[in-house]
């Protein structure tokens, strides 16, 4: 539940071009993930399962071939889809071949900026887990690229969706308290 709630940011009405189920023939939003460590799971599951009617996973990219193959197998098991995999050195090729609308960056913090900047330069919007990057110079590069390309970069913070916080929101929304 925590992962689905946090990754729900991926497919909110403001992120999608439609708020309800897509009209017949409408294209699903296309996502690719770079960095397949622990942080990627909530995003992967949201795209492949929770919001599958709105979204599709079109590519995985990572330094570790074992993680790539594991993520690919999980996508096959969970959603019956074969997600193409790419080594980190082939990031540009992944974007060119799979044409994602959004690149989700869940690499180690120090490398966020290189993928954020490059994804925007290649015409994609970006979503990343906090921190956006690790120093002022990298932050400036991201902001400059965003201005230059007109692409969006969203920074998420999944802790706000931890079980205790989610439970408080559920209680407030149900009217039991508040």
């Amino acid at each position: 539940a925590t992962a689905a709630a946090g990754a729900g940011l991926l497919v909110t009405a403001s992120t999608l071009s439609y708020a309800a189920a897509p009209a017949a023939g409408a294209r699903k939003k296309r996502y690719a993930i770079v960095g397949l460590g622990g942080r990627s799971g909530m995003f992967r599951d949201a795209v492949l399962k929770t919001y599958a009617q709105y979204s599709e996973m079109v590519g995985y990219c990572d330094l570790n071939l074992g993680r790539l193959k594991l993520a690919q197998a999980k996508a096959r098991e969970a959603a019956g889809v074969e997600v193409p995999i790419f080594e980190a050195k082939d990031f540009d090729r992944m974007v060119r071949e799979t044409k994602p609308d959004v690149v989700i960056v869940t690499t180690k913090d120090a490398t966020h900026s290189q993928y954020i900047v490059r994804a925007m330069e290649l015409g994609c919007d970006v979503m990343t887990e906090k921190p956006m990057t690790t120093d002022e110079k990298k932050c400036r590069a991201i902001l400059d690229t965003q201005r230059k390309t007109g692409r969006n970069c969203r920074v998420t913070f999944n802790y706000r969706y931890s079980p205790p916080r989610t439970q408080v929101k559920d209680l407030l929304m149900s009217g039991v308290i508040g």
Side-chain angles (χ1 to χ4, degrees), residues 43-97:
F43 295 101
R44 180 195 64 231
D45 292 346
V47 171
L48 291 173
K49 297 178 191 175
T50 310
Y51 300 101
Q53 71 186 62
Y54 304 108
S55 58
E56 64 181 313
M57 188 65 68
V58 298
Y60 290 141
C61 184
D62 197 274
L63 290 168
N64 183 307
L65 185 59
R67 277 196 304 249
L68 282 164
K69 289 181 178 181
L70 180 61
Q72 189 178 50
K74 285 182 178 182
R76 195 178 307 116
E77 272 178 35
V81 297
E82 193 68 29
V83 178
I85 58 175
F86 299 84
E87 293 183 49
K89 66 182 176 58
D90 295 321
F91 177 79
D92 284 17
R93 184 168 65 87
M94 177 191 72
V95 172
R96 274 194 319 273
E97 289 180 11

Side-chain angles (χ1 to χ4, degrees), residues 33-45 60-71 74 104-109 111-112 129 158:
I33 297 178
V34 58
L36 297 171
R39 291 183 191 174
S40 69
M42 74 172 185
F43 295 101
R44 180 195 64 231
D45 292 346
Y60 290 141
C61 184
D62 197 274
L63 290 168
N64 183 307
L65 185 59
R67 277 196 304 249
L68 282 164
K69 289 181 178 181
L70 180 61
K74 285 182 178 182
I104 302 166
V105 178
T106 55
T107 59
K108 64 183 180 176
D109 298 345
T111 63
H112 282 187
E129 176 68 18
N158 70 49

Side-chain angles (χ1 to χ4, degrees), residues 111-161:
T111 63
H112 282 187
S113 62
Q114 75 186 61
Y115 291 108
I116 292 169
V117 166
R118 191 63 187 140
M120 289 190 294
E121 289 173 343
L122 293 170
C124 301
D125 289 330
V126 178
M127 178 170 284
T128 189
E129 176 68 18
K130 63 104 184 136
M132 179 173 74
T133 193
T134 55
D135 65 41
E136 179 184 347
K137 185 178 176 183
K138 292 175 181 177
C139 186
R140 176 57 44 209
I142 291 168
L143 294 173
D144 290 347
T145 303
Q146 188 173 8
R147 267 194 286 288
K148 183 177 81 178
T149 63
R151 304 313 309 183
N152 293 312
C153 178
R154 290 195 165 105
V155 182
T156 66
F157 177 49
N158 70 49
Y159 188 68
R160 72 173 56 124
Y161 299 103

